[in-house]
Amino acid sequence: MKPKIKLSQSGASLFGFAIYISIVSMLTFGLTSALNRVQGRAETITMEADLANMRWELRELWVHRNATGQSFSAGEIENLNPLLLLGGRPNNYSGEFAEAPAGVRSVWYFDTKAKRLVYVFSDGRQIRYRLTSTAKLNRASQGAMGGVDLAPD
């Protein structure tokens, strides 16, 4: 003889399944949101590390040039792509462009119109830096001892 299935039992299990699915959906949404925030923060940290490396290399170049009697003139560095002075470039450097390269994210490029080094974040935001003499700055970056710096615009 077949056991009889009660309708209330099957309805209760469907309701429980719906609750389970909604809880899993909310947890997945929360986890995805947190993951996006962490990814954005990791991108910012990577960009800041690239910037710090470029600044230190510029300081090293400034010290070397001053030690050998070849100091920078203000006009020499004002509109120059700072990456032309450096021995290495960030892995995500795209090159020199008159405007932001289409469809690229998380990259550095040099804006030839504005004469600025630009970082494009994955969400489309941009941050711009100019190569300048620290004598012209009200406040230089940490570790600046004189000479040249990448100042934010």
Side-chain angles (χ1 to χ4, degrees):
M1 182 173 212
K2 287 184 173 180
K4 292 184 180 180
I5 298 175
K6 294 182 181 179
L7 292 177
S8 62
Q9 285 180 342
S10 63
S13 64
L14 287 176
F15 180 72
F17 182 69
I19 296 288
Y20 172 77
I21 292 297
S22 61
I23 290 172
V24 168
S25 298
M26 286 187 275
L27 290 173
T28 302
F29 176 75
L31 181 63
T32 303
S33 298
L35 203 58
N36 287 339
R37 282 193 305 274
V38 168
Q39 185 179 9
R41 185 67 186 133
E43 180 184 13
T44 301
I45 290 169
T46 302
M47 183 275 303
E48 289 172 351
D50 286 343
L51 180 64
N53 288 336
M54 288 185 276
R55 281 179 166 155
W56 279 107
E57 197 167 343
L58 284 168
R59 291 175 189 134
E60 197 174 285
L61 177 67
W62 180 81
V63 168
H64 175 74
R65 290 204 44 182
N66 277 311
T68 59
Q70 305 168 349
S71 63
F72 287 111
S73 67
E76 182 182 0
I77 63 169
E78 273 313 303
N79 294 318
L80 186 65
N81 179 352
L83 297 179
L84 295 177
L85 296 172
L86 305 180
R89 295 183 174 138
N91 292 335
N92 55 348
Y93 177 67
S94 295
E96 296 184 355
F97 301 97
E99 55 190 42
V104 296
R105 299 287 190 248
S106 303
V107 296
W108 290 96
Y109 77 94
F110 185 74
D111 185 340
T112 55
K113 283 184 184 175
K115 306 296 185 199
R116 300 292 186 257
L117 184 63
V118 182
Y119 184 81
V120 181
F121 287 91
S122 60
D123 62 3
R125 290 179 298 129
Q126 294 184 358
I127 187 165
R128 298 172 169 269
Y129 294 93
R130 72 184 187 285
L131 184 62
T132 187
S133 168
T134 54
K136 294 182 178 183
L137 298 175
N138 292 337
R139 183 177 170 272
S141 63
Q142 185 177 16
M145 59 189 158
V148 294
D149 194 14
L150 288 170
D153 270 350

